[in-house]
Amino acid sequence: MKRSEKIITNTVKIAGSSSILFILLIFVFLVREGLPALGEVSLKDLFSLRWYPIEDLFGLLPLISGSLVVTFTSILIAVPLGIGTAIYIGEIAPKNVKEILKPTVEIMAGIPSVVLGFIGIQALSPFLREFFNLPTGLTALSGSILLAMIAIPSIVSIAEDALYAVPSSYRDASYALGATKWQTIWGVVLPAARNGLMTAVMLGIGRSLGETMAVMMVTGNAATTFSGLKSVIMPVRTMTATIASEMGEVASGSVHYHVLFFIGIILFIFSLVINISSTSVQGKSKQEKGQVIS
Amino acid sequence: MRRWTRTILLTGILILTACGSSTSEENTQTGSSTYIENKGSDTLVNLALAWAEQYQEEYPEVQISVTGGGSGTGFTALINGTIDIANASRQIKDLEIEQAESAGFEPHEIIVANDAIAVIVNPENPISELTLDQVSRIYKGEFNNWSELGGEDRPIVRLSRETNSGTHVYFLETVIRLSDEEDTDIFSADTLLLPSSEGIISEVSSNPNAIGYDGLGYITDEVKTIALASKEGRAYILPSAETVIDGTYPVSRGLYMYTRGEPDGIIKDYLDWILSDEAQEIVTELGFVPILD
């Protein structure tokens, strides 16, 4: 009896800590395969401007800036749309509209990114080329728009949960003071749901940063140097697309192989920073709330 | 940490021995079905699929699986022992031969077809003839507007396959470097690297600024093929089976299959069949150039 209890407790404990173990194993693997790159390629070469691995040119800057440009632009598109949708679903829409809208957004989350990429090649990029009169439609912007479509469903569902968690007494109090619906949403509900909304944004950033397939299909994959705002309408090559398209060819143990894993470490650090900043935002606002109550 | 490495090694060995035993079974078994794993060049993938289908129709006991991924991917898989035949649109590199030798085999090469690389532009582009040197300078980034080549005032958008493609490497060596081994020029950094041949055709057919290159077998009516001259003053030649065979088209190459050492048994039968007239007819049907014996 006692023994079986012990076994069950331990099993649950192992299941619970397994995700930590997996993360650790992944990190150890990344470090073990990626860090040798630092010994094989000098830092000056790693942070140079040209990526052409078959001639041993391993400049990572174009890839890092490519990922950042695509992610940042996609967030600029996805956050207003996603949070707006969540506000409409949660606060404004009548019940029957809400019942159609919510599952529709969830269906959007289920569209495979390859399908989006295909639409991107066939429809979006020719349209963007003609609309903005660009040399080519395969640009960071096309990737960002697809990524926004991928990030929006997760932003909407988390943001909507955050709005739902705001007690209705807050809204009632605001209406009782004579505030309009918009004043209530802007002045009361949104600030109260702030940390949930921040989590939604952070999750959206993480989703955009890590997405590979759609981006690889429409951004043109040219490792161009960052050139300010213009980079948004230029072809770029992201870190994820680089790993995905080059990992298959690379001989394990070669310099190129180690550098690809080193890119993996950079991606890992990026997502770690995003996660830590999102939890620190949450922690901070909890503290503030605590002070108000006391 | 060490134990973990050992587990992975053990799993690897188990998988390898499993593969090993299955291949030796293949060679001894007759009558029951046998598998051939075939992987590599995306240029060859449609042709290899057509061969596999035809062969399986005639010899239903043999099952052949064909996948793409690029020539480099095929060599890696052959060296890692996950496939029986690697397809390649370039010859194996010295480094890959070394890796194969340390994996315990000598790669065996046969030429299965010939292919021309066509340089393509959008049908709206008035340019229809270029010298190899002009194409080289376009891809090196020295020409950036079609008007510099006598065309319209449009920016040039350069398209290429990814670096794991044999076609990419061949184009780099033969066109950009004009077969000069000392030359270390590479693609201009703003060259778009597209993951598939279809992606190149699709962008060239919709974008009047674009220039691309692709194996002759992939060229459709939606794009315009450029006639190439090997030097200024020489004749401009369009790629076709005839101009590849008589050697006048300057950018053509062999397509290869590689095996782990001399092929034997079922794999040898298959490769012999590929060199037969019947299989070489499929080569012509798919727009490639048959080998002459």
Side-chain angles (χ1 to χ4, degrees):
Chain A
M1 185 66 196
K2 220 179 170 187
R3 208 172 138 216
S4 68
E5 189 122 312
K6 214 175 177 181
I7 292 173
I8 291 169
T9 322
N10 278 327
T11 318
V12 175
K13 203 186 267 173
I14 290 169
S17 46
S18 62
S19 63
I20 297 178
L21 184 79
F22 287 145
I23 292 282
L24 265 178
L25 282 181
I26 289 170
F27 190 68
V28 166
F29 189 71
L30 272 182
V31 167
R32 205 186 58 160
E33 301 294 320
L35 274 195
L38 287 178
E40 291 158 348
V41 186
S42 73
L43 271 184
K44 194 174 141 266
D45 288 342
L46 271 183
F47 291 93
S48 65
L49 294 171
R50 188 66 214 257
W51 174 263
Y52 195 68
I54 54 176
E55 291 287 314
D56 291 332
L57 297 173
F58 294 113
L60 298 179
L61 285 184
L63 311 181
I64 297 175
S65 69
S67 276
L68 291 180
V69 166
V70 173
T71 306
F72 189 71
T73 317
S74 83
I75 285 304
L76 281 187
I77 302 167
V79 165
L81 275 175
I83 300 221
T85 311
I87 293 174
Y88 183 69
I89 293 178
E91 303 289 320
I92 299 164
K95 209 176 166 208
N96 53 347
V97 176
K98 187 173 160 176
E99 267 164 16
I100 299 168
L101 210 54
K102 230 186 140 179
T104 314
V105 171
E106 274 153 20
I107 288 172
M108 218 173 122
I111 301 175
S113 58
V114 190
V115 175
L116 279 178
F118 195 65
I119 297 171
I121 289 185
Q122 295 298 336
L124 181 65
S125 80
F127 168 77
L128 288 178
R129 174 169 53 78
E130 270 158 37
F131 191 79
F132 291 108
N133 194 20
L134 301 172
T136 173
L138 299 171
T139 58
L141 183 62
S142 329
S144 305
I145 292 172
L146 293 188
L147 280 182
M149 288 170 74
I150 290 168
I152 281 172
S154 33
I155 294 183
V156 170
S157 70
I158 294 182
E160 207 228 323
D161 285 346
L163 296 177
Y164 186 76
V166 175
S168 55
S169 58
Y170 282 33
R171 297 184 186 86
D172 295 342
S174 170
Y175 292 137
L177 289 170
T180 61
K181 188 151 201 167
W182 170 242
Q183 286 169 331
T184 307
I185 292 171
W186 185 249
V188 178
V189 180
L190 285 184
R194 195 177 51 189
N195 46 7
L197 297 178
M198 272 319 281
T199 315
V201 173
M202 291 300 174
L203 200 94
I205 297 179
R207 193 83 179 74
S208 298
L209 192 66
E211 171 55 39
T212 310
M213 199 58 217
V215 168
M216 191 161 96
M217 291 167 82
V218 301
T219 53
N221 299 323
T224 49
T225 311
F226 180 71
S227 49
L229 257 185
K230 212 181 142 224
S231 278
V232 175
I233 50 162
M234 272 170 42
V236 294
R237 188 178 182 86
T238 64
M239 293 190 276
T240 46
T242 304
I243 297 178
S245 59
E246 291 171 17
M247 203 38 124
E249 70 171 298
V250 80
S252 74
S254 64
V255 180
H256 186 188
Y257 174 89
H258 289 146
V259 174
L260 287 182
F261 270 99
F262 188 74
I263 299 175
I265 297 180
I266 298 178
L267 271 172
F268 193 90
I269 292 173
F270 274 25
S271 64
L272 209 67
V273 168
I274 291 165
N275 278 314
I276 290 174
S277 54
S278 87
T279 40
S280 78
V281 167
Q282 283 180 33
K284 216 173 167 187
S285 60
K286 262 179 202 146
Q287 264 178 11
E288 279 168 17
K289 257 188 200 161
Q291 281 164 0
V292 172
I293 290 165
S294 64
Chain B
M1 184 69 206
R2 258 184 73 189
R3 199 194 293 165
W4 183 63
T5 325
R6 199 177 297 159
T7 328
I8 286 193
L9 272 176
L10 260 175
T11 334
I13 289 167
L14 272 175
I15 292 169
L16 278 178
T17 44
C19 289
S21 63
S22 71
T23 25
S24 61
E25 264 170 45
E26 268 169 29
N27 295 339
T28 50
Q29 265 179 17
T30 42
S32 67
S33 75
T34 42
Y35 292 93
I36 299 177
E37 293 278 347
N38 185 196
K39 182 177 182 154
S41 165
D42 286 321
T43 308
L44 252 173
V45 73
N46 287 342
L47 183 55
L49 265 174
W51 277 332
E53 274 167 22
Q54 180 73 25
Y55 193 75
Q56 286 174 99
E57 227 165 74
E58 289 171 32
Y59 304 91
E61 72 280 6
V62 182
Q63 300 215 337
I64 304 165
S65 91
V66 179
T67 38
S71 303
T73 315
F75 286 128
T76 310
L78 189 72
I79 290 161
N80 293 340
T82 53
I83 57 167
D84 304 301
I85 302 173
N87 301 334
S89 57
R90 61 167 168 83
Q91 275 184 300
I92 191 164
K93 291 180 197 159
D94 289 342
L95 182 71
E96 286 157 340
I97 294 177
E98 276 168 35
Q99 287 165 350
E101 278 164 356
S102 59
F105 70 94
E106 193 84 36
H108 180 83
E109 171 192 301
I110 62 165
I111 297 182
V112 293
N114 289 304
D115 185 26
I117 308 233
V119 173
I120 49 175
V121 294
N122 188 277
E124 279 179 39
N125 194 326
I127 290 193
S128 54
E129 294 177 340
L130 290 170
T131 65
L132 271 191
D133 184 58
Q134 282 173 320
V135 179
S136 163
R137 290 173 66 187
I138 288 174
Y139 271 95
K140 283 190 278 191
E142 291 171 20
F143 291 126
N144 288 301
N145 195 301
W146 285 110
S147 62
E148 295 167 58
L149 295 149
E152 294 168 337
D153 178 22
R154 289 179 172 283
I156 297 178
V157 172
R158 307 165 188 90
L159 306 178
S160 163
R161 291 287 313 281
E162 275 284 356
T163 50
N164 60 348
S165 150
T167 316
H168 177 109
V169 176
Y170 179 81
F171 193 83
L172 174 72
E173 288 167 355
T174 314
V175 179
I176 293 185
R177 295 177 177 167
L178 300 167
S179 305
D180 177 359
E181 280 175 27
E182 309 276 287
D183 196 335
T184 54
D185 288 326
I186 54 174
F187 284 85
S188 160
D190 58 6
T191 306
L192 273 61
L193 300 182
L194 302 189
S196 66
S197 288
E198 287 84 359
I200 290 181
I201 300 289
S202 144
E203 176 70 5
V204 171
S205 63
S206 69
N207 188 345
N209 306 321
I211 180 168
Y213 63 87
D214 225 329
L216 196 53
Y218 279 95
I219 305 303
T220 64
D221 296 340
E222 295 168 294
V223 296
K224 182 162 101 181
T225 310
I226 297 277
L228 292 179
S230 54
K231 276 199 179 78
E232 181 90 59
R234 296 251 177 98
Y236 292 95
I237 310 280
L238 277 168
S240 69
E242 295 79 53
T243 55
V244 170
I245 291 171
D246 68 20
T248 48
Y249 186 70
V251 201
S252 69
R253 58 178 174 171
L255 299 174
Y256 306 86
M257 282 190 171
Y258 284 84
T259 52
R260 297 170 67 89
E262 283 280 340
D264 54 359
I266 186 86
I267 295 171
K268 183 176 189 324
D269 293 345
Y270 181 51
L271 292 178
D272 287 345
W273 177 83
I274 282 177
L275 301 179
S276 72
D277 289 347
E278 181 194 358
Q280 289 295 317
E281 232 162 72
I282 302 177
V283 173
T284 318
E285 274 166 35
L286 288 182
F288 293 96
V289 181
I291 45 164
L292 297 172
D293 39 15

